Amino acid sequence: MTINPGDNTEKELLAGILLQLDIAAFEYIEGKLIPISTPPNWFDELYLLNIDHQHKSSEYLLSEAFPFIENFIYDAKNIWQCSNQQPLRSGLWSECLDDLYELNLEAIAMKIGNHSLLLIANETSHFELRRKVYQNARNLALKNERLESSIQLHQRQLQQQLEKLYKKDNSFDGVDDDIENESTAVLICRHDGSVEVFNKALIDIYAMSEETRLSEKSLLKKWSEEAERQYPEIHRVLQSGQHWEGEFETFDNNHRKKWVRLMIAPVFDQNNELEHYICVANDISNIKLSAKEIELLTQIDPNTHLPNRRSFWNYLTEQIDKSQETGTSLALLYLDLDHFKQVNDDLGPEQADFLLNAVANRLKQCLKKQDFIAHLGGDEFAVVIKNIVDQQSLSKIAQRIRENIYRDISFGDFTLNVSTSIGIAIYPQHGLKPNLLVKNADYAMYHAKEMGRNQFQFSSPYSKRHIKRKIHIEQGLKSALSNNEFKLLYQPQISLEKQGQHRIEALIRWHHPNHGTITPADFISIAEESGIIIDIGRWVLETACKEIKSLNKKGYSAKISINVSPKQFKYSSIIDEVKAALEYYKVDPSQLELEVTESVFLDDLEQVIKQLELLKGLGVTLALDDFGTGYSSLNYIKQLPIDILKIDRSFISELPFNRHGCTIVESIIAMSHQLSIEVVAEGIETKEQLEYLRNLGCDFVQGYLFYAPLSSEELISLYQSLQPKQ
Ligand code: C2E
Ligand code: MG
Ligand code: MG
């Protein structure tokens, strides 16, 4: 069956199936998600709740409505580009319809024929069912715990009772009757192991027959041998006349494996000589068996042995319910190791597991037993603290965690330091529902990363807004190019030497449909992180070349410089791209300049210098931007094939009043001139700055004192007013 067959019966059938399965289905066509049939009601409700502007029913802005699947769609594109790919599943994520109703959704990307499909399935009922199973398992675990402690209590009472009986007349005569109907197994033997009394419960545990009864004789020996595997100290404890208790695996006379809980108490005669042992035992195989199942169901993380994500959610939900009942608060700390992906790639999976284990142990060490620690997967951990919620104490705890994790972790002959970013959210201030609390702790964690990592942040409206905006920016960037949302502005640089001569710097602006104009400071680093900067850089290059060509056509000769990100040197064939653009737009290479910042040289100085020389070979000129802000030393400038050096605004703004700043600017200009490098001063705002720079012999100035960045139209008007046509 095809997806859009034009045959109404088949369309109806497909729509019916999707509705029955509770699935919203979309086809991805030219960057848009078009619904295949009317989505279920929950989907529209959720979509309208999340999107803050009117939507066209033919096209859904899913990335904007559901930040969670934004990244998923990004990965999905790989599936959609190739045929014969397995469907890609996002795993469950949850969305709140309102305060009471939470949906558990899963996105699935697949390719059928030529159709790229995105399905969003409502898994709430399955999820609820699983949640109930986990809940029951936890309840069972609690019951088991209670049962175990009641067995322990009963064993102790029974043993004390038997000891009392013995002390009456220094014998166990007549004790048979007392233990006959006891459900706990009892064995009383002499210090050499020979049996004095035992009851029916012991026969039951060990499936003893009349013929094998004698083997009880060696039971004490058998027990201590079996228990020794788990409790090496048992012999020492018994020999020193102390009382011992524990759980271990044993085999009955039919060679069936069983778990017993055993208590052995030595009995001394009047001369304080070891005379007897009272042994009491219970078969706890059932408890152990269900504990194993529970462990599987509740799933402990197999590497770190910490509760996993599932247990974390259950625990958090439970504790929030409790806090709500009792009117108390709780704190959630959300941890994410910094640069773990890199560490993982460098170390390999085994060492990375070792590192995660080390982190888990450090967390256990620096937190109290009653604090809940979970390993949520990957490099994420969570801590729930119930009794402390004031910010000062939590700060101390977060600081302690941060410092402890950061300590050296040794891997044989080398050591490593990993830092953590921590987000903290407190119930009820930062969220009444587990979902919201986790989201806010996660935003705060993200904020800590933004602030430079290796630190903690509390949830705040600011962190939430800030990160939400960042996420929106990340999402928006992906479609900004295809939606034509970028523009270049042009800021002239005036020559102080030769009147009328000038250069122009192209500066990018992003006109976001919802957020208005966004300046490069707010999106370039994000574009660099995600790699989109390569496409943006190519667009800037082409647009600048187009502008040069169009100015040339109008009779104006212009030299335009464009900013090039270090990522373009690292991950794109910048040389071929520049060459192709110059050729395509028929631009004289001397009319184009590339601005690079010092950070470009951080990677591989020799390699970058080679690339720069190849670029120069094309005939373009090169400028070193923001000089003075990085690792710059005037010395290494000599090695670089640059024509222009741009002094960063931060130095210019201090002129001419800061002596230190003046000296720096003065020596930069003098040194550059010695190397035949021209100097541009950025960010000139006052006449005093201009005069000072003129006196130092600065070549070009750029700043609001002359022109702010201008649109293409404004630039042409400026040319018309200043420069007669050539
Ligand atoms: P930049 O290359 O150093 O550009 C100069 C910045 O200073 C521009 O900011 C400009 O608008 C601003 N500016 C110019 N004169 C003055 C002044 O008198 N006072 C003040 N306060 N500011 C002034 P903008 O356009 O926001 O760009 C910021 C940075 O973003 C640029 O610094 C550049 O590093 C980067 N950038 C801009 N466009 C692009 C681009 O197309 N690609 C790449 N990779 N980066 C770009
Ligand atoms: Mg620049
Ligand atoms: Mg600059």
Side-chain angles (χ1 to χ4, degrees), residues 488 491 505-509 519-521 524 528 533 536-537 539-540 562-566 568 595 597 625-626 646 648-649 682-685 702-705 707-709:
L488 281 190
Q491 189 177 31
E505 178 175 9
L507 294 161
I508 197 169
R509 294 292 177 270
T519 57
I524 291 289
E528 285 179 330
I533 194 70
I536 296 179
W539 177 86
V540 169
I562 56 170
N563 292 282
V564 180
S565 152
Q568 289 174 264
E595 291 190 11
T597 51
D625 201 359
D626 301 345
K646 301 186 74 181
D648 190 64
R649 200 174 74 219
E682 296 183 304
I684 315 297
E685 291 182 349
Q702 172 182 1
Y704 296 164
L705 182 63
Y707 304 102

Side-chain angles (χ1 to χ4, degrees), residues 498 503 643-645 672-673 676-680 699-700:
K498 299 168 195 142
R503 309 149 48 80
D643 307 277
I644 295 273
L645 191 146
S672 304
H673 285 169
S676 307
I677 294 171
E678 287 191 297
V679 178
V680 176
D699 304 280
F700 288 90

